[in-house]
């Protein structure tokens, strides 16, 4: 497989779209360049505010580019099924999303959408379905269910001077049910082939970077809330034991459970039980959260 640099991707993008470099425009929804599927973002330091702005690819979505502006300057352009994540200084900012506003680029002159952003907080903003400038701010759980269907828009270069590189306080390592636990399982003997090696890889990566580690167990929604919290905790404790086995100091690792409170699977509720169990597999995960030094 050929790995292309960002500059080369941008060049290919411009050639395919037949665009001038001065006209920021996103690709079509069936592009092959946006490779990176959504990864949940980590928390940022208190001197920054993080924004995750996304555009689900839902039935009835207006086609064309939605230009995203920060304080009247171009950040990126979103097509259906894409997202952007960026950071700014806390305080008041003008945030705008404009559908097909070329060639006049009205979004640059739009000073109406003033938003006050708090330090250390992440805001999730969904581009509206229709041809309108209005966007919706969502809670993390609701947003993540939609974001998992999107890919990162990392081709276009931001021109927003207020946007800065994010300073993350932690990094998440997601251990999926593909290598970890089947339905209702949580012990060392239940870990699937490849699971121990994946935990060992995580241990090697976090050995030098982490000041503190929290292992968080997750479950699917089948069963009671109490039993799911207990199951999530058992899964976290099992992974903690493996991290210690791989050289991480026990004093540096704590465990927690989210139970079934942070689902990522959708469209499973009406299925027969066996299909439902399979559908909910992405929820049966363990997250190793490494707090950076």
């Amino acid at each position: 497989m050929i790995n292309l640099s960002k500059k080369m991707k941008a060049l290919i993008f411009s050639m395919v779209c037949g665009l001038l470099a001065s006209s920021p425009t996103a690709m079509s929804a069936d592009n092959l360049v946006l490779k990176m599927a959504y990864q949940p973002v980590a928390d940022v330091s208190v001197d920054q505010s993080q924004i995750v702005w996304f555009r689900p690819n839902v039935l009835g979505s207006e086609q064309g580019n939605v230009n995203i502006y920060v304080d009247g300057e171009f950040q990126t352009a979103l097509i259906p099924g894409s997202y952007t994540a960026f950071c700014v200084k806390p305080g008041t900012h003008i945030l705008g999303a404009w559908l097909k506003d070329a060639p006049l680029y009205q979004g640059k002159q739009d000073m109406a959408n003033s938003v006050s952003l708090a330090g250390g907080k992440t805001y999730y903003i969904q581009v509206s379905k229709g041809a309108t400038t209005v966007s919706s701010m969502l809670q993390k759980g609701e947003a993540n269910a939609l974001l998992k269907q999107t890919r990162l828009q990392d081709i276009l270069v931001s021109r927003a001077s207020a946007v800065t590189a994010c300073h993350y306080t932690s990094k998440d390592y997601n251990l999926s049910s593909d290598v970890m636990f089947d339905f209702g399982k949580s012990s060392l003997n239940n870990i699937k082939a490849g699971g121990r090696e994946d935990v060992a890889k995580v241990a090697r990566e976090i050995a030098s970077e982490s000041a503190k580690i929290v292992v968080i167990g997750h479950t699917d929604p089948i069963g009671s809330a109490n039993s799911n919290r207990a199951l999530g905790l058992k899964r976290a404790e099992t992974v903690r034991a493996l991290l210690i086995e791989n050289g991480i100091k026990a004093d540096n690792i704590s465990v927690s459970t989210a139970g079934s409170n942070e689902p990522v699977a959708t469209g499973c509720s009406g299925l027969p039980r066996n299909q439902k169990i399979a559908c909910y597999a992405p929820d049966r995960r363990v997250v190793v959260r490494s707090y950076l030094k």
Side-chain angles (χ1 to χ4, degrees):
M1 181 179 293
I2 298 174
N3 292 318
L4 300 177
S5 68
K6 284 189 176 181
K7 287 184 178 179
M8 182 61 71
K9 288 181 181 179
L11 177 60
I12 294 172
F13 161 73
S14 297
M15 292 171 64
V16 171
C17 296
L19 301 171
L20 295 175
S22 61
S23 300
T25 308
M27 292 166 289
S28 62
D30 60 352
N31 76 84
L32 299 176
V33 181
L34 296 186
K35 300 288 188 182
M36 189 178 296
Y38 175 69
Q39 297 293 321
V41 297
D43 294 334
V44 293
S45 57
V46 294
D47 62 342
Q48 290 187 314
S49 304
Q50 181 172 216
I51 296 171
V52 179
W53 214 322
F54 64 101
R55 190 180 179 197
N57 191 8
V58 297
L59 185 65
S61 293
E62 182 78 14
Q63 295 302 302
N65 309 321
V66 169
N67 288 333
I68 303 299
Y69 297 99
V70 180
D71 297 336
E73 297 176 324
F74 176 78
Q75 160 61 17
T76 193
L78 297 180
I79 56 170
S82 66
Y83 80 97
T84 182
F86 58 92
C87 289
V88 296
K89 288 183 178 181
T92 301
H93 293 274
I94 308 296
L95 304 179
W98 283 74
L99 176 66
K100 295 186 291 190
D101 65 337
L104 298 179
Y105 299 106
Q106 298 98 313
K108 291 184 177 182
Q109 287 77 45
D110 175 29
M111 295 289 112
N113 299 313
S114 177
V115 180
S116 180
L117 305 176
K121 186 172 180 180
T122 298
Y123 296 86
Y124 296 87
I125 305 176
Q126 177 185 351
V127 173
S128 61
K129 181 178 178 181
T132 172
T133 64
V134 177
S135 294
S136 303
M137 199 168 288
L138 305 180
Q139 295 298 313
K140 179 179 179 180
E142 184 181 5
N144 278 339
L146 298 168
L147 275 160
K148 72 173 189 171
Q149 309 282 346
T150 65
R151 294 183 178 274
L152 177 63
Q153 168 56 280
D154 62 349
I155 305 302
L156 302 178
V157 177
S158 171
R159 301 174 189 175
S161 57
V163 172
T164 61
C166 294
H167 306 148
Y168 291 113
T169 60
S170 64
K171 183 177 180 180
D172 282 358
Y173 297 86
N174 289 279
L175 299 165
S176 72
S177 62
D178 294 342
V179 294
M180 296 306 295
F181 302 108
D182 277 328
F183 175 69
K185 303 299 184 181
S186 61
S187 73
L188 282 169
N189 294 332
N190 299 140
I191 294 177
K192 299 178 183 178
R196 288 175 178 268
E197 179 55 31
D198 276 19
V199 175
K201 289 178 182 177
V202 171
R204 288 194 292 269
E205 289 195 36
I206 66 179
S208 61
E209 70 181 17
S210 301
K212 182 179 71 171
I213 299 161
V214 180
V215 184
I216 308 164
H218 295 259
T219 75
D220 61 44
I222 300 172
S224 69
N226 287 338
S227 64
N228 284 332
R229 282 194 294 270
L231 178 60
L233 190 61
K234 289 178 181 177
R235 288 174 173 168
E237 289 170 342
T238 296
V239 172
R240 178 181 185 271
L242 278 179
L243 289 171
I244 295 170
E245 184 180 301
N246 282 275
I248 305 299
K249 293 181 179 180
D251 291 345
N252 290 349
I253 315 174
S254 62
V255 294
S256 179
T257 177
S260 57
N261 291 333
E262 297 180 14
V264 293
T266 59
C268 307
S269 59
L271 299 174
R273 181 175 175 81
N274 287 343
Q275 294 180 30
K276 184 182 295 185
I277 289 172
C279 183
Y280 279 131
D283 291 337
R284 297 189 288 274
R285 65 200 190 278
V286 177
V287 175
V288 179
R289 181 162 296 158
S290 167
Y291 288 86
L292 306 178
K293 291 181 179 179

